[in-house]
Amino acid sequence: MLAEKTFPVAISARHIHLSEADVEALFGTGATLTKDFDLSQPGQFAAKERVSIEGPKGVIHNVRVLGPVRPATQLEVSKTDALKLGVNPPLRQSGDVANSAGITIKNGERELAIEQGVIIAQAHIHMTPADAQEFGVQNNEVVSVEVESERPVTFRGIVVRVSEQFSLEMHIDTDEANAGFIQQQAKGKIIKSS
């Protein structure tokens, strides 16, 4: 039965994607990102590089940079992070940074202020077209997902993202995970309305 098929749920901690120009601004002319380890999504990796992020109210150090470089710099934080920093980022799909919050990014003495690029990432499920067919969903469809945990929770407003480049996995942030006592690689299932 389609509704009973499950998928892994991954917890996405705060991280930053940098443009090529911003990598050079923060790490020096000609600098490139150094792969630390591969992530679950094909071609994506955690870089060895880390930065500090500073808002009007606070600083968070040791923020992981993810690669490869992106056309535009994007910082993904939780609501709790945003409160600590004193910024008010919108809830958005990854890549949708127009008119989002700004922040200062630091690496030692190097500093870069971005006027937009800070978002709280909307929870989403990565799927291949074959996965989408199996689950009976389409790209950009919004679904509800029940996650198995000590404190079971159903998330609403989860965006399905379909691409041949994806690997089946749902991504939530640390606030969402903490609210539901969710551990890495918990299982989720799509709840179809009758």
Side-chain angles (χ1 to χ4, degrees):
M1 185 174 173
L2 288 177
E4 295 305 311
K5 182 169 169 52
T6 63
F7 41 82
V9 177
I11 302 161
S12 184
R14 73 181 75 95
H15 60 272
I16 191 164
H17 303 274
L18 296 171
S19 67
E20 189 170 352
D22 290 350
V23 168
E24 291 199 11
L26 290 164
F27 298 99
T29 304
T32 57
L33 296 178
T34 312
K35 185 189 291 187
D36 193 4
F37 57 87
D38 289 317
L39 299 175
S40 60
Q41 295 306 309
Q44 304 296 304
F45 63 90
K48 290 183 179 177
E49 289 75 18
R50 308 262 182 146
V51 296
S52 295
I53 50 175
E54 183 175 343
K57 289 187 176 177
V59 180
I60 298 175
H61 299 286
N62 212 27
V63 175
R64 175 79 75 171
V65 178
L66 301 188
V69 294
R70 295 256 180 118
T73 290
Q74 173 180 299
L75 172 65
E76 295 180 35
V77 295
S78 68
K79 184 67 174 176
T80 299
D81 292 334
L83 292 170
K84 178 177 180 176
L85 294 165
V87 295
N88 188 26
L91 180 67
R92 298 269 182 86
Q93 284 197 53
S94 181
D96 182 4
V97 297
N99 302 310
S100 59
I103 201 84
T104 299
I105 309 164
K106 295 183 175 184
N107 175 37
E109 296 300 309
R110 295 176 183 268
E111 185 174 303
L112 174 68
I114 58 171
E115 292 184 8
Q116 62 182 20
V118 185
I119 65 167
I120 296 171
Q122 185 170 6
H124 55 278
I125 310 168
H126 291 283
M127 290 188 181
T128 65
D131 293 325
Q133 187 172 6
E134 190 171 352
F135 282 96
V137 295
Q138 302 175 48
N139 189 43
N140 286 322
E141 184 173 341
V142 177
V143 298
S144 294
V145 175
E146 183 179 279
V147 180
E148 303 164 2
S149 71
E150 186 182 343
R151 181 193 274 173
V153 63
T154 299
F155 292 100
R156 295 170 51 193
I158 308 303
V159 178
V160 175
R161 299 177 62 191
V162 181
S163 169
E164 289 286 4
Q165 308 303 312
F166 290 156
S167 178
L168 181 62
E169 189 173 63
M170 177 172 162
H171 289 176
I172 60 175
D173 71 21
T174 51
D175 283 353
E176 292 162 323
N178 290 340
F181 291 15
I182 298 165
Q183 301 293 318
Q184 284 287 12
Q185 300 305 301
K187 297 293 182 189
K189 65 180 177 181
I190 292 174
I191 305 301
K192 292 283 193 179
S193 52
S194 49

